Each structure stands twice: as structure tokens, then as C-alpha cells.
Amino acid sequence: MTIHAGHWGAYRPRVSDDGRLVAAEPFEGDADPSPLLGSLPGAVHARNRVLRPAVRASWLRGERGRRGADPFVEVPWDHALDLVADALARTHADHGPQAVLGGSYGWSSAGRLHHAKTQLNHFLACLGGYTGQVSNYSYGAADRLLPHVLGDTAAVTGQLPTWDDVAAATDTLLMLGGAPAKNVQVESGGTGEHAARLGLARVLDAGTRVVNVNPVRTDAPDHPAVTWVPIRPGADTALLLALMRWLDAHDAVDEDFVARCTTGDDRLRAYLRGRSDGVDKTPEWAAALTGVPAATIAALARRLAAGRSLVTATWALQRAEHGEQPYWAVIALASYLGQIGLPGGGFGFGYGCVAGVGGTYRPFGTPAFHPRPNPCRSRVPVARLADLLLHPGEEYAFDGATHRYPDVRLVYWAGGNPFHHHQDLNRLARAWQRPETVVVHEPWWTPTARMADVVLPATTTLERDDIAASSRDPWLVAMKRTLDPPGEARHDRAILTALAERLGIGAEYTVGRDDAAALRAMYEQARRSAAGHGHALPSFDAFWAVGHHRYDLPAPPPPFADFRRSPSRARLATPSGRIELFSATVDGFGYDDCPGHPTWLPPASWLGAATERHPIHLLSPQPGTRLHSQLDMGAVSAAAKVAGREPCVVSRADADARGITDGDVLRVWNDRGETHAGAVVSDDVVPGVALLATGAWYTPLDPSRDGSPELHGNPNVLTADVPTSRLAQATAAQSVLVQVERVTSAPHRDPHALPAFVDG
Ligand SMILES: Nc1nc2c(c(=O)[nH]1)N[C@H]1C(S)=C(S)[C@@H](COP(=O)(O)OP(=O)(O)OC[C@H]3O[C@@H](n4cnc5c(=O)[nH]c(N)nc54)[C@H](O)[C@@H]3O)O[C@H]1N2
Ligand SMILES: Nc1nc2c(c(=O)[nH]1)N[C@H]1C(S)=C(S)[C@@H](COP(=O)(O)OP(=O)(O)OC[C@H]3O[C@@H](n4cnc5c(=O)[nH]c(N)nc54)[C@H](O)[C@@H]3O)O[C@H]1N2
Ligand SMILES: [Mo]
């Protein structure tokens, strides 16, 4: 029986006699397979697959035209490849490698060889370089903050306290943002098993009390041991500071841990007590900001100090204005509780975000394709995409340094969907008109493909051989070619090989390996790495024949266990070697949007700043029915649409005040844009908060006009393109105020329609 895998898990593809995928049946090694498998047949055989190379008609004629509005001309592969090779060569010759934006952020597909973004980065590095992108949308604020506080990013990317340790040892699990079951369906690179939901269930069965601090009730299990603490979005830092202040006022701080393992508490303590700013951070102070009653805050602090406690936060908390602060405050609170390094104690980020968090991290043996390093030093934080296109040559601050945006003339994207992922899409749509050339590889006619000059049809994973692996999952899974590519679609690696040959870098790009040889080489490298850690992987042929391999890994020690025992021997990679509750480095940057210790900085957009015009805080969570924009054509996503649009959850109070009932069409708008969604009225969200998941395909009513209404419920026409701070320059997508109203009629259009084509 054949086997395959995606970011959503491993499965057994079932194929009809005429070569179509009819079902993706769960892999028998997965105890909790994702329902998203039900969307695969509809997605892989969707009408909107890109079948042939296509070129924007006006660009082909040498005219500017308008990206997103002009029709396309289908051309033969050779012609398309010549056009792209010429544009790359010309851009390099006239403007240098930094004029090519090739960071190409995005999840691409699972499978470690045919990872489109990585292959593109490798290709452009062989060509002489490109402007890259640094950090990510997922945890960009943490990515820059944590090295200053902890010495590295392992609290997000490495081993965290395991579900088993939590079940065995933890009395109170304080989860800021809960642990959404909808999110743990996926893991970047693919998972063999889904262990997170079951892990949390074991924790609850073992008697651990879970506190879900969240504007949304439903993102934690419905279980008697779970308490919902509703909170205003963006206010967690105030809550955390008040919890610390309560511990301080009640002699409940573990002063020994703080003295041995941290630095800078004098500065933090003076701030908590109001000595440095005149504001005592009491539970009463936080109650007014958070909406959490002071007595609830005090009781929570008492509970946390009374037993073994683990404090967690979802990544969403730091995708907000000043998103660095709640993370720093979580670390400070856990330091005050003094249980960092003990089983089931301390803190961790990302439970409930992706499948593998809470499992055993594997620091070796993951097959991966290693791209050649980018010889060009030009790189820009991912979330500054529109700024970079709009403001070439302008200076910006980033993590203590000053940089300048390069002058980008050619944008090359493979494996990402910026018209899904970026904020303020109307602004991006304007910025996107500026470069001379935009090249996109895509399996589907996504909004980003429609905004390109040259669209090259890419295969999906089911149409090629690959290996799925993630360092957070114990499985390696063979992804066996199951289907023939539709139309003239080619693998990204084949497209780039053809371009490399035209540009005289064929040998550098392929290193003389075809796909089969490259896959084998990748596996052999992982096998050597695993052997170095005492783990024997089967030969490639044996692995491929069986189709999967499960690593048997010993239970890991709690993170920071050595450090806790001996902070001077097991120093952290911070300047002090300890946890920095005050960072002289960060303080020295002089950023008022990210001072030297965890600080309450009121956001510009939150309920505390709501106006009559924009009274609702819009959260844009990850969609439970797809992966970002991927699989939106599938059955699972389609079944969840309301009135043919993305569902928007509004609180009962806000719905009643506006005469909104289930199934209404809603107009959600602010000064940046407008989108149409389907109403779902709920008792499980805080009044004043609405939810519109990401991933509905950006469908402007009139793509030839700036800021035309978006018809399908894409929240990114509303979000603000502002950074978390100058420290991280990360996305602040969760900080946005809107108005929501019912409309009686609204235009509709198929978001997955093909673009217009004309003859060449
Ligand atoms: N408002 C708001 N916006 C957000 C977020 C939020 O919370 N709120 N979250 C952000 C986060 S955390 C993330 S990670 C981003 C995600 O943003 P992206 O990663 O850009 O989103 P995807 O839809 O996964 O885009 C992947 C693209 O790759 C294409 N693709 C798949 N397989 C292949 C292949 O083999 N070859 C090629 N060439 N292409 C392929 C898919 O069709 C798809 O268009 O969104 C961010 N945007
Ligand atoms: N099915 C599915 N799963 C996914 C993805 C997907 O597209 N589909 N995307 C994946 C990716 S790329 C990423 S980065 C992760 C992201 O994972 P997360 O960042 O965890 O995702 P979200 O769904 O945005 O938010 C998680 C929870 O945080 C809560 N929250 C939001 N703002 C606040 C706040 O201010 N305070 C508090 N206390 N809680 C808040 C939300 O209500 C929600 O319950 O998800 C991954 N998992
Ligand atoms: Mo993400």
C-alpha cells in the first residue's frame, strides 16, 4: 500500500483506475488523524490548477499594465523559461543581486527535497545572490527577543516540557491563548502522528488544572478541569505584571532562584512596585486594563505559587503590537515562581500552535536539503515586505542596528502566498505594482499567482517522490509519487534546473544529482547524523520499501535542568549568562517601543483605544479548516463557509446590538479596507471581539481599483502593516480595530476562478 504525507499528516492515498485521488485514508500509525485529509482530493484536482506557463499580457508587450487586473497569455515552457532567465540576467547585470527579492517566505509543501522556497533560495544563491528575508510571521517577535533574554530561541524552537512531564508533575497549567485543537493538526514538514490533543487529554486526566486565559473559550478542551479566564486581546502583559506584583507583595517570589539564575530583577521590581513610573502594578491596576477581575488575578497568583506551575503562551500573543512584552513577562513570572528547570515547571511557548510541541524534540537526523548560503548580505525582516517595495533606500531600525531597504526590481516567489500572509493587502497591492518583474511558481491560481507577470505551473507533492520529516515528530515518512502531474506542471526543482542551465549554473544548482539521487543523498546525510547520536536508521532502500520509520527516543530532561543546578557552569548565551529580566543590551538600543525589561505599553489598536467608528477588536486566528490559504478549495473548508464566505464569529452582545443573526452577510471594515464575511453568533468570545480566520482567498471586487472591497472574508485587508517594535520588526496582525455590520445584499464572486486568458 502506498504512503504519502503533508503538513497535515501521513496518509494512504486511494487512487481510482483513471488516476485520480479519491481519498486520503489516515496512516495507521496516527492515533488522531486530521480531518483536513478530506480536502485533498478536491484540492489536488481543483479546476484552478495552473496547467501551463502563463505570462501577463501587457508585461509581455513591454507595457506596465496592472498586476492583478490584466489577462494572461499561455506560452510554451521554453518561451517562459527564456523570459525568466533574461529578466534575472538583466536585473543582476543592471542592478546587482540585491535587486532580486527571493526570500520567498511561505510554508510551501511538506517534503524536504522539493521545498519550493528552499530550492529557490539555493538557485538564487548559485546565481550570485538575492535579497533574502529574515525571521518569520509565526513567532517573529520571539525570534528576536528570546536571544537577549535566554541566549537563544529554544523556548520556541527546541525542547519544551513534555506532555508526559506535565501530566506527571504539573498542578497548574496556565495557558495564555489556550491550546487550540484546530492548530495542532499541522506541523511544518509533515507529521507521522498527531500527539498534542491526546497529550493534553492525558494531562487533564492526570488531574492538572488548566487555566485558559483567552478572549475565546473554545480554544481549550471542554473539560471540568479547565477554567476560562476571558481577557481583552493584547492585555496579557498587564495581567502577568500584576501576577508578579502579587507574588512580590505576598513574599511568594522564589528569591533564591531569582538571585541565582536571573539578572536585572532590581529594575523590574522597581517598575512593578511603581518606583520607576509611579504606577503600582496591582491586580486592581491590571483589572481595569484586562477585564479580568482583581480577585481572579490574586487567586490565580496564589494558585500558581502553591504547587508546580507551567506558564505557556501561544505564538498569537506576540503577533501583536509590542508582542515582545507578554513573552518577556511570561519568562519573568516563571522566574519569580522559581520552577524553571524542574519537571513540568517553568514556561514554554507554542503549545497548541503546531502538532509536535509537547513531544520529544530531535536535534539530529532530520533529512533536509541544505541550500547554498546567500552570498549577498541584503536581507529584510519578512514582515517589512510592503515597506521594502515602497521605500527603497530608506533606513529602518532592526534589533539594535540600522539598515537600508534595497532597490528591488524583480520579485521571485515559490512556495508562499504574500497575498495571503501579509498585512494591509490594499497597501501591498499598491507596493506590488512597483517592481519591473514578478515571477511566481504555483500549483494553483492563487491571489499571488494572479498578481504575477510570469506564472510557472508547479506540481503538488502527490506528483513527486519526497520525504516528510519534522524535528518535532518521531516519524520519517516516504512521500511516494501517486499521481501524474496535470497539464504541463513541473517540479520546482525541474523548473529551476532548466533556468540554471540557461544561466550557465546547471552544475552548481544540481551538484550533478537528479531528484532520485538528491533524495537518497539527503537521507544518507540524516542517517549519518542519527548514527552519531546512537540511532540506527535503516538503509534508504529498506526505508523506502516500508515507507516509514519511527525514532525511538528517550524522554528528555526538563529544559534548563542543568542551568538550574549550576547557572555558572551551564551558562546561558546571554551577556550575563543568566535569564535577563532586565537587558542592558535591549535597553541600550533606546527603543521606546521595546524598553529594557517587560513593560506594559498600551497598544494603539486594542479595546482600550476603541472608538465609536471602530469599536471591535478583530482577531485573525489560524483556520481550523485548512492550512493558511492552502486547501481552501477542499471539502472541509467549503463546508465551513457561511453565506458562501469565510465565517466571522461575533459575540452575542455585539450581534444583538447590530441585529446580526447566524448566516447574515457581514461587512467588516476600517480605514484600510472592507471585507465581506458570514455571521456566526457566539457566547464563547469576549464582547467587543470578533474572529475572522486567515486564509480566504483575496478577491477584490474590482482588481483594477485601489482598495476595492474584498468579497470573501480575508482579514488582511483590515490588518495594519505596523511592526511589533523596532527590536523585532515582526507582524502585529492581531492588533486591529474594525466595525462590523449586517448587509442585506453584497456582490459575490468565485474566489477560486481562473484568471482571464487571451491569445498570444
Ligand atoms: N492576519 C493574519 N495574517 C497572518 C497570520 C495571522 O495570524 N493573522 N499568520 C501568519 C503566519 S504565522 C504565517 S506562517 C503566514 C502563512 O503564509 P504562507 O505560508 O504564505 O501561506 P500558505 O497559504 O501556506 O502559502 C503557501 C503557498 O505555497 C503554495 N505551494 C504549495 N505547495 C507548493 C509547491 O510544491 N510548489 C510551489 N511553488 N508552491 C507550492 C501553496 O499553493 C500556497 O499558495 O501567514 C501569516 N499571516
Ligand atoms: N489548522 C491549522 N493549524 C495551523 C495553521 C493553519 O493555518 N491551520 N497555521 C500554523 C501556523 S503557521 C502557526 S504560526 C500556528 C500559530 O498558532 P497560534 O499563534 O497559536 O494561532 P492562533 O490561532 O492565531 O491563536 C491561538 C490562540 O491565541 C488566542 N489569542 C489571540 N490573541 C490573544 C491575546 O491577546 N491574548 C490571549 N490570552 N490569547 C490570544 C486565540 O484566541 C487563540 O485561542 O498555527 C499553526 N497551525
Ligand atoms: Mo506561522
Side-chain angles (χ1 to χ4, degrees):
M1 224 190 338
T2 192
I3 189 164
H4 208 79
H7 296 302
W8 32 81
Y11 59 95
R12 300 286 184 183
R14 201 145 54 73
V15 180
S16 65
D17 292 341
D18 60 346
R20 290 174 71 85
L21 182 74
V22 289
E25 284 164 3
F27 171 51
E28 60 282 3
D30 189 349
D32 188 24
S34 163
L36 293 179
L37 294 179
S39 279
L40 294 184
V44 78
H45 298 300
R47 276 183 295 111
N48 64 345
R49 286 290 302 263
V50 184
L51 298 178
R52 276 168 291 279
V55 183
R56 185 164 67 88
S58 11
W59 185 85
L60 191 59
R61 291 193 302 266
E63 295 160 13
R64 262 204 102 66
R66 189 175 164 105
R67 297 193 173 102
D70 300 339
F72 285 89
V73 181
E74 292 187 326
V75 300
W77 264 109
D78 278 340
H79 187 187
L81 292 166
D82 287 344
L83 289 170
V84 175
D86 284 354
L88 280 167
R90 210 172 348 102
T91 308
H92 267 226
D94 294 352
H95 306 285
Q98 78 286 347
V100 175
L101 175 62
S104 191
Y105 181 85
W107 268 52
S108 310
S109 53
R112 292 308 174 128
L113 176 62
H114 294 282
H115 189 254
K117 170 191 166 11
T118 310
Q119 289 295 344
L120 177 63
N121 291 166
H122 175 62
F123 164 79
L124 291 172
C126 293
L127 193 61
Y130 60 98
T131 287
Q133 290 173 298
V134 289
S135 195
N136 57 47
Y137 283 81
S138 309
Y139 47 80
D143 184 59
R144 291 293 137 168
L145 174 76
L146 295 185
H148 294 296
V149 178
L150 300 170
D152 59 32
T153 61
V156 170
T157 55
Q159 181 65 57
L160 299 189
T162 60
W163 295 119
D164 288 340
D165 276 355
V166 175
T170 309
D171 299 302
T172 303
L173 177 52
L174 170 59
M175 308 194 94
L176 307 172
K182 67 183 176 62
N183 289 358
V184 296
Q185 296 179 83
V186 307
E187 182 68 71
S188 178
T191 55
E193 65 188 35
H194 290 85
R197 219 167 55 97
L198 304 176
L200 182 56
R202 284 202 305 285
V203 165
L204 288 167
D205 286 347
T208 304
R209 295 285 297 270
V210 170
V211 182
N212 172 31
V213 175
N214 203 324
V216 184
R217 183 209 297 268
T218 44
D219 280 337
D222 189 8
H223 188 282
V226 178
T227 310
W228 181 35
V229 175
I231 189 170
R232 278 173 157 182
D236 301 76
T237 305
L239 171 72
L240 292 159
L241 295 171
L243 291 170
M244 285 182 251
R245 179 66 179 104
W246 189 95
L247 298 175
D248 173 44
H250 293 81
D251 286 329
V253 174
D254 185 336
E255 303 291 357
D256 174 61
F257 182 89
V258 171
R260 283 194 320 116
C261 296
T262 75
T263 184
D265 181 48
D266 49 335
R267 296 289 292 267
L268 177 59
R269 205 77 68 104
Y271 170 70
L272 291 174
R273 293 175 181 174
R275 301 239 170 91
S276 53
D277 69 346
V279 179
D280 195 351
K281 311 300 176 302
T282 60
E284 290 72 22
W285 165 79
L289 298 168
T290 57
V292 182
T296 305
I297 299 175
L300 181 56
R302 186 176 293 116
R303 162 177 283 284
L304 289 169
R308 184 60 50 84
S309 297
L310 180 68
V311 186
T312 73
T314 53
W315 298 339
L317 269 84
Q318 51 86 73
R319 290 201 301 281
E321 284 182 60
H322 312 305
E324 297 82 5
Q325 303 309 316
Y327 268 40
W328 206 346
V330 162
I331 296 164
L333 171 63
S335 299
Y336 277 22
L337 292 168
Q339 301 174 5
I340 295 170
L342 296 178
F347 66 93
F349 302 114
Y351 294 89
C353 295
V354 284
V357 174
T360 302
Y361 180 79
R362 173 161 40 98
F364 65 89
T366 306
F369 175 80
H370 298 287
R372 187 184 274 215
N374 184 1
C376 174
R377 291 169 56 93
S378 174
R379 56 208 63 188
V380 176
V382 274
R384 297 280 60 78
L385 173 61
D387 284 341
L388 142 79
L389 296 175
L390 287 169
H391 304 295
E394 226 168 76
E395 283 190 345
Y396 65 98
F398 178 41
D399 202 2
T402 303
H403 304 267
R404 219 176 260 287
Y405 292 119
D407 186 0
V408 163
R409 304 300 180 103
L410 186 154
V411 173
Y412 203 140
W413 226 288
N417 190 353
F419 282 89
H420 160 77
H421 66 233
H422 199 57
Q423 284 54 71
D424 197 348
L425 289 180
N426 288 318
R427 180 170 187 258
L428 180 65
R430 287 191 297 276
W432 198 260
Q433 300 296 336
R434 295 186 58 129
E436 289 155 15
T437 308
V438 176
V439 182
V440 168
H441 299 190
E442 257 293 342
W444 291 277
W445 277 103
T446 61
T448 299
R450 300 173 78 107
M451 293 291 271
D453 301 327
V454 183
V455 182
L456 302 178
T459 52
T460 67
T461 67
L462 280 155
E463 296 141 17
R464 59 203 186 213
D465 287 332
D466 214 326
I467 299 175
S470 155
S471 37
R472 294 200 190 94
D473 178 68
W475 292 86
L476 290 180
V477 182
M479 299 168 64
K480 298 193 181 184
R481 178 176 165 142
T482 306
L483 305 173
D484 290 330
E488 299 175 16
R490 294 186 184 178
H491 311 333
D492 295 282
R493 190 169 185 266
I495 299 171
L496 294 168
T497 301
L499 282 175
E501 279 159 5
R502 277 173 167 71
L503 291 159
I505 53 163
E508 287 92 327
Y509 178 67
T510 61
V511 216
R513 291 187 181 124
D514 64 9
D515 289 353
L519 197 61
R520 209 172 262 273
M522 205 175 77
Y523 182 87
E524 287 306 334
Q525 193 183 32
R527 191 159 170 240
R528 282 193 297 279
S529 161
H533 288 78
H535 189 95
L537 283 187
S539 71
F540 177 81
D541 292 322
F543 160 72
W544 196 257
V546 175
H548 51 76
H549 173 78
R550 193 179 196 280
Y551 291 81
D552 190 13
L553 297 170
F560 299 102
D562 289 346
F563 168 71
R564 173 191 186 85
R565 229 171 283 123
S566 177
S568 49
R569 263 193 294 122
R571 286 171 61 89
L572 304 183
T574 54
S576 63
R578 304 193 198 160
I579 298 171
E580 304 226 338
L581 302 185
F582 171 84
S583 162
T585 309
V586 173
D587 186 58
F589 296 158
Y591 298 151
D592 56 2
D593 54 9
C594 190
H597 59 69
T599 303
W600 167 248
L601 303 167
S605 297
W606 73 305
L607 286 175
T611 60
E612 206 174 307
R613 195 170 152 77
H614 299 136
I616 304 279
H617 191 133
L618 183 74
L619 292 177
S620 43
Q622 305 292 335
T625 55
R626 50 184 182 263
L627 173 66
H628 316 129
S629 68
Q630 300 190 53
L631 308 181
D632 194 40
M633 305 74 74
V636 177
S637 184
K641 303 283 178 182
V642 173
R645 297 164 178 87
E646 193 59 23
C648 177
V649 180
V650 288
S651 75
R652 172 108 24 223
D654 295 315
D656 288 350
R658 291 165 176 75
I660 294 170
T661 55
D662 281 330
D664 284 347
V665 178
L666 300 179
R667 178 172 170 262
V668 187
W669 59 274
N670 62 20
D671 294 338
R672 284 178 291 274
E674 147 173 5
T675 187
H676 301 161
V680 174
V681 180
S682 168
D683 295 311
D684 293 325
V685 293
V686 168
V689 174
L691 312 176
L692 182 57
T694 62
W697 287 28
Y698 169 69
T699 311
L701 173 62
D702 178 0
S704 68
R705 234 169 19 86
D706 278 351
S708 179
E710 199 284 325
L711 303 181
H712 211 247
N714 186 314
N716 276 329
V717 297
L718 307 169
T719 50
D721 193 2
V722 297
T724 54
S725 77
R726 279 169 287 175
L727 184 89
Q729 291 286 359
T731 179
Q734 303 305 336
S735 301
V736 49
L737 293 172
V738 300
Q739 180 58 287
V740 179
E741 61 194 17
R742 176 175 177 269
V743 290
T744 45
S745 80
H748 191 267
R749 173 164 309 155
D750 178 4
H752 309 123
L754 293 170
F757 292 99
V758 290
D759 291 335

